[in-house]
Amino acid sequence: MTDLSQLESDLLARAAGAGDVAALEALRVEALGKSGQISELLKGLGRMSPDERREQGPKINGLRDAVAAAIAERKAALEAVELDAKLAAEHVDLTLPAPPERRGRVHPTMQALDEMIAIFAEMGFALAEGPDIEDDFHNFTALNFPPKHPAREMHDTFWLPEDERGERKLLRTHTSPVQVRVMQRVNERLPSWVANGQEPPIRVIVPGRVYRSDSDATHTPMFHQMEGLVIDRTIHMGHLKWTLETFCRRFFETEKVVTRFRPHHFPFTEPSAEMDVQCDRSGGSIKIGEGSDWLEILGGGMVHPNVLKNVGLDPDEWQGFAFGLGVDRLGALKYGMPDLRDMFAGDVRWIDHWGFSAFQAPNPATGLS
Ligand code: DAH
């Protein structure tokens, strides 16, 4: 005969000492499950005599109730401890500093470009754009590059595969083809303009990406240029010089900029010149506005009569100047960056260091950069 009080004290002690909910569940199955110890005792009641049953029944039922209550009590306690531990582990420490917020920066090329646009816009230039994928006519032929001329090779052109008409497009090697597009467009409207007494001056700048198969510290296969074009009846080299000198003083934000024109050759201008700025190269960095070294920063000249003819303008009536400058190179010069290739390497640390705040929009009146 099972000693009920011994069994009860054993089971109650094991319930009270169960370390976790799983151990408690195992105990419940062992005692109260279908063939558990107490369940077997309850089944035994049916085989007893009525007197025995009257005596044993309340005891076994009492044992079952006491063990079930002890298990439930221990379960509630264990669950409370588990919840406390979870809450302690998961609590949010509101005194911790917030994670840093990543803020975008304006790329120095775009900053330089915005500064240039602000300066030329103030001088009355409008903005024009053209396609990056060009044809040979706009990139070379209309600009007076003779067929098979070595200058075509000098540009290290990226050619695209031949299309179904046997024509090979190219990635434009300079922004000069947009001169041609602008002048063609103006020429189409010329008769109606003249009829209305509104003859053009054309005064445009053309910022954009250009491509050449070239890569070293001062050349990248993709870079940015800005073209300038002014066409009117009496425009001459003096206007070009004044425009570029004024631009340089404003862009470099110093009156001390000294420039010089050096004769040069471009197929699309005659005469042609390269412009240098005086600078100081000692000490591994370049400073504008001091020193006695020269640095080439752009090309320009008077638009060649053949180019005017190629777009249908009469060179005896119209003339003008054009120039082209390297946006990245001028930006690097102004902000003091040593290697142009870093500009397009996509390193976030680089842009964090050299980039500009989006709120520093260039404005000639309040300061550019
Ligand atoms: N297109 C020339 C280049 O990429 C730069 C240039 C020179 C543009 C003289 C001009 C110009 O408009 O007149 O090397």
Side-chain angles (χ1 to χ4, degrees):
M1 182 90 196
T2 313
D3 181 342
L4 290 183
S5 56
Q6 182 60 45
L7 181 61
E8 178 167 343
S9 60
D10 277 359
L11 290 174
L12 293 186
R14 284 178 61 196
D20 54 37
V21 175
L24 206 55
E25 176 60 12
L27 178 64
R28 189 192 64 76
V29 172
E30 186 187 322
L32 304 170
K34 242 185 177 177
S35 34
Q37 281 171 293
I38 296 174
S39 311
E40 290 301 329
L41 289 171
L42 286 168
K43 282 180 209 161
L45 285 175
R47 293 188 296 272
M48 291 178 186
S49 67
D51 284 350
E52 255 181 327
R53 195 181 307 136
R54 207 170 299 123
E55 196 206 325
Q56 292 294 319
K59 287 186 185 166
I60 297 172
N61 278 317
L63 169 64
R64 183 197 58 200
D65 293 348
V67 170
I71 288 175
E73 190 187 329
R74 182 66 187 150
K75 191 171 179 210
L78 284 173
E79 280 173 351
V81 169
E82 231 169 67
L83 184 64
D84 283 348
K86 207 169 166 202
L87 286 176
E90 284 181 0
H91 87 288
V92 177
D93 184 352
L94 294 175
T95 65
L96 284 175
E101 186 189 338
R102 278 211 63 82
R103 227 180 260 175
R105 309 280 286 165
V106 175
H107 194 283
T109 291
M110 291 303 133
Q111 179 77 14
L113 197 55
D114 285 347
E115 292 181 17
M116 292 172 184
I117 291 171
I119 295 167
F120 282 110
E122 211 183 40
M123 289 193 220
F125 282 76
L127 210 77
E129 285 183 309
D132 287 20
I133 296 177
E134 261 300 2
D135 50 37
D136 182 273
F137 175 77
H138 289 89
N139 198 82
F140 290 126
T141 307
L143 287 166
N144 200 33
F145 285 80
K148 307 247 155 59
H149 192 275
R152 293 183 187 227
E153 265 83 78
M154 263 163 50
H155 274 204
D156 297 314
T157 312
F158 287 112
W159 291 95
L160 273 65
E162 251 181 36
D163 63 17
E164 59 284 359
R165 279 170 298 167
E167 196 192 330
R168 288 188 82 185
K169 292 260 172 48
L170 52 92
L171 294 181
R172 66 177 176 193
T173 58
H174 51 176
T175 42
S176 303
V178 189
Q179 282 187 34
V180 175
R181 292 183 176 276
V182 168
M183 286 191 281
Q184 283 175 325
R185 231 176 290 145
V186 166
N187 186 38
E188 281 164 22
R189 294 194 211 124
L190 201 55
S192 62
W193 271 346
V194 173
N196 288 324
Q198 299 175 323
E199 291 174 356
I202 296 175
R203 229 183 271 146
V204 292
I205 46 167
V206 183
R209 293 196 179 108
V210 301
Y211 308 83
R212 292 182 202 178
S213 177
D214 209 356
S215 181
D216 60 37
T218 52
H219 297 88
T220 52
M222 184 283 300
F223 59 104
H224 298 78
Q225 281 191 339
M226 203 176 71
E227 195 81 7
L229 176 71
V230 173
I231 300 286
D232 208 340
R233 291 176 188 276
T234 57
I235 292 294
H236 54 72
M237 230 25 203
H239 295 121
L240 172 63
K241 199 153 194 278
W242 177 87
T243 304
L244 293 176
E245 283 175 353
T246 305
F247 163 74
C248 282
R249 278 199 296 276
R250 306 216 66 176
F251 182 72
F252 291 110
E253 296 178 80
T254 165
E255 286 300 309
K256 287 189 295 183
V257 182
V258 181
T259 57
R260 75 173 179 195
F261 267 30
R262 216 168 3 83
H264 196 74
H265 171 75
F266 297 107
F268 37 90
T269 43
E270 182 61 35
S272 304
E274 279 189 334
M275 193 170 99
D276 302 333
V277 281
Q278 205 163 42
C279 61
D280 178 38
R281 287 182 200 247
S282 59
S285 65
I286 298 176
K287 289 192 207 79
I288 305 288
E290 46 196 277
S292 55
D293 297 314
W294 293 99
L295 185 74
E296 180 240 312
I297 59 162
L298 55 84
M302 296 302 293
V303 177
H304 197 291
N306 285 349
V307 175
L308 294 170
K309 276 188 223 152
N310 288 339
V311 297
L313 289 176
D314 179 357
D316 290 329
E317 214 176 321
W318 304 105
Q319 59 186 34
F321 68 72
F323 61 86
L325 50 84
V327 178
D328 320 279
R329 194 178 279 192
L330 278 178
L333 196 58
K334 176 168 178 178
Y335 314 131
M337 292 159 195
D339 192 325
L340 282 184
R341 285 168 300 191
D342 295 338
M343 296 188 113
F344 310 116
D347 188 330
V348 182
R349 292 165 305 173
W350 186 91
I351 191 79
D352 275 346
H353 178 78
W354 292 105
F356 289 80
S357 156
F359 297 112
Q360 275 173 289
N363 177 341
T366 56
L368 289 171
S369 56

